[in-house]
């Protein structure tokens, strides 16, 4: 199955960017992380989302990470580049460069720091969409970015042909039904908050943009496959096992937690760039205990099917 055929379906981990001891980008380790996820069966990758520490990278570094991703796994699964910039002009430049580099789609965020009006939000999205032919998924995350992509904005964007999907990370699962009822299949919906992922799938999301998949890809892929194949008891059993870790995706230290989980599971390093610091003290002990418990109690296929 080609990348084009699988766009916006299945499990899309928000891949981490790996750093060396001096906190320069370790491109080999980043590529190994990406390749391992694809080998484990994920359906696509988000490059330079929140977990990729987009806003901690310099402009040239971002382009290098995209090139490395295309080199490592391009053509095997869809590659979606996060567009997270401080100004619309920078977002336009980045979107154009991402298209030239060879990614398959974009995940477009509101401009960072400034909280826009609905009119400004629409203008930002329109301008970036006009600069590229790539399909675009808008990223709605009101708790993180202090603005909601409301139906008034989505109504006005229906004429923008390459804005095709919404990553829904509002914590209220009712939003999936409201969007489906209002737009039908005009916008493909992706579940974007780990601890509302199964609810999102039941309510019409076609896939899951995930953080904790980076540490537990096999179980993430099995969860979505079980749901898609109607094995709801199995999907629910995996989800219940996973939930203590999935809650981490809704916390402000999600990047540090996910990278620590990767490290414990032998899939990457916990190193992050300032202003982030690796977890320490009681929080580190707590997350470590949750990850180790999850690793020790991973549901077998037989157990999950019998649950």
């Amino acid at each position: 199955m080609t990348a084009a055929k699988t766009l916006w379906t299945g499990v899309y981990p928000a891949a981490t960017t790996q750093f060396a001891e001096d906190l320069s980008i370790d491109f080999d380790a980043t590529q190994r992380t990406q390749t391992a996820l694809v080998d484990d069966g994920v359906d696509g990758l988000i490059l330079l989302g929140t977990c990729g520490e987009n806003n901690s990278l310099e402009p040239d570094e971002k382009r290098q990470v995209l090139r490395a991703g295309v080199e490592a796994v391009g053509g095997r699964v869809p590659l979606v580049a996060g567009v997270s910039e401080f100004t619309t002009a920078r977002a336009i430049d980045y979107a154009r460069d991402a298209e030239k580099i060879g990614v398959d789609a974009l995940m477009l965020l509101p401009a960072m720091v400034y909280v826009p009006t609905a009119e400004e939000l629409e203008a930002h999205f329109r301008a970036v969409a006009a600069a590229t032919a790539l399909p675009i998924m808008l990223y709605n995350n009101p708790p993180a970015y202090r603005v909601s992509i409301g139906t008034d904005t989505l109504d006005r964007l229906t004429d923008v042909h390459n804005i095709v999907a919404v990553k829904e990370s509002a914590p209220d699962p009712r939003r999936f039904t409201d969007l489906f009822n209002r737009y039908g299949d005009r916008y493909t919906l992706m579940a974007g908050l780990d601890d509302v992922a199964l609810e999102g799938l039941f309510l019409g999301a076609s896939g899951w943009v995930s953080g904790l998949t980076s540490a537990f890809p096999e179980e993430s892929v099995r969860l979505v496959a079980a749901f898609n194949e109607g094995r709801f008891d199995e999907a629910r059993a995996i989800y219940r096992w996973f939930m203590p870790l999935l809650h981490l995706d809704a916390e402000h230290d999600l990047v540090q937690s996910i990278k620590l989980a990767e490290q414990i599971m032998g899939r990457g390093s916990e190193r992050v760039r300032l202003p982030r610091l690796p977890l320490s003290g009681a929080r580190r002990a707590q997350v470590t205990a949750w990850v180790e418990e999850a690793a020790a109690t991973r549901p077998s296929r037989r157990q999950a099917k019998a649950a």
Side-chain angles (χ1 to χ4, degrees):
M1 184 173 287
T2 66
K5 290 180 180 177
T6 61
L7 191 58
W8 315 131
T9 61
V11 182
Y12 280 57
T16 58
T17 302
Q18 296 292 305
F19 298 116
E21 290 185 9
D22 64 357
L23 297 186
S24 63
I25 298 175
D26 187 334
F27 289 101
D28 289 341
T30 299
Q31 288 181 315
R32 287 196 299 271
T33 298
Q34 296 164 349
T35 301
L37 287 168
V38 174
D39 289 345
D40 283 328
V42 303
D43 300 283
L45 289 179
I46 306 293
L47 305 180
L48 298 178
T50 302
C51 291
E53 295 179 71
N54 187 309
N55 294 115
S56 297
L57 273 57
E58 297 299 323
D60 63 318
E61 290 180 319
K62 296 183 185 187
R63 275 79 173 170
Q64 291 175 55
V65 169
L66 295 186
R67 292 189 188 97
V70 170
E71 178 184 68
V73 292
R76 293 184 62 190
V77 297
L79 300 179
V80 182
V83 184
S84 176
E85 301 293 333
F86 291 101
T87 68
T88 301
R90 291 180 183 180
I92 287 171
D93 288 344
Y94 176 78
R96 286 173 173 162
D97 288 346
E99 182 173 4
K100 292 175 185 176
I101 288 167
V103 303
D104 299 288
L106 303 174
M107 181 178 73
L108 178 56
L109 283 70
M112 294 292 96
V113 181
Y114 177 67
V115 181
T117 65
E119 180 182 9
E120 291 167 333
L121 187 63
E122 178 190 353
H124 178 73
F125 290 156
R126 280 187 179 276
V128 177
T132 177
L134 291 177
I136 292 172
M137 175 173 65
L138 302 181
Y139 181 6
N140 186 52
N141 190 335
Y145 303 118
R146 298 175 294 160
V147 60
S148 179
I149 305 174
T151 54
D152 53 346
T153 300
L154 291 173
D155 286 348
R156 291 193 296 271
L157 291 172
T158 55
D159 66 309
V160 183
H161 70 91
N162 59 331
I163 295 179
V164 299
V166 176
K167 176 188 173 185
E168 187 50 63
S169 294
D172 186 347
R174 293 176 296 181
R175 168 106 166 157
F176 289 100
T177 300
D178 288 340
L179 293 180
F180 185 84
N181 284 346
R182 192 175 187 92
Y183 301 109
D185 61 1
R186 170 59 187 85
Y187 297 111
T188 300
L189 303 181
M190 296 282 283
L193 192 62
D194 280 2
D195 58 1
V196 195
L198 187 56
E199 291 87 341
L201 293 171
F202 269 106
L203 296 173
S206 65
W208 174 23
V209 177
S210 170
L212 271 302
T213 293
S214 288
F216 290 93
E218 178 186 342
E219 288 78 12
S220 300
V221 170
R222 282 172 51 200
L223 190 159
V224 174
F227 173 81
N228 287 337
E229 295 165 11
R231 292 180 279 112
F232 300 137
D233 287 346
E234 181 179 355
R236 186 166 52 241
I238 296 170
Y239 196 50
R240 287 172 175 168
W241 159 83
F242 217 169
M243 187 56 72
L245 293 182
L246 298 183
H247 285 318
L248 296 172
D249 188 56
E251 301 292 340
H252 291 298
D253 58 5
L254 77 157
V255 176
Q256 297 94 311
S257 296
I258 289 167
K259 282 191 143 183
L260 176 58
E262 277 188 298
Q263 179 169 287
I264 293 169
M265 298 307 297
R267 305 187 67 92
S269 164
E270 68 172 322
R271 287 189 285 266
V272 290
R273 274 192 180 170
L274 290 165
R276 292 183 177 93
L277 289 170
L279 297 183
S280 61
R283 180 60 168 166
R284 180 185 179 85
Q286 179 185 57
V287 172
T288 297
W290 285 337
V291 176
E292 291 177 345
E293 173 69 13
T297 59
R298 299 169 85 159
S300 69
R301 293 180 184 273
R302 181 178 299 176
Q303 288 172 327
K305 289 179 180 180

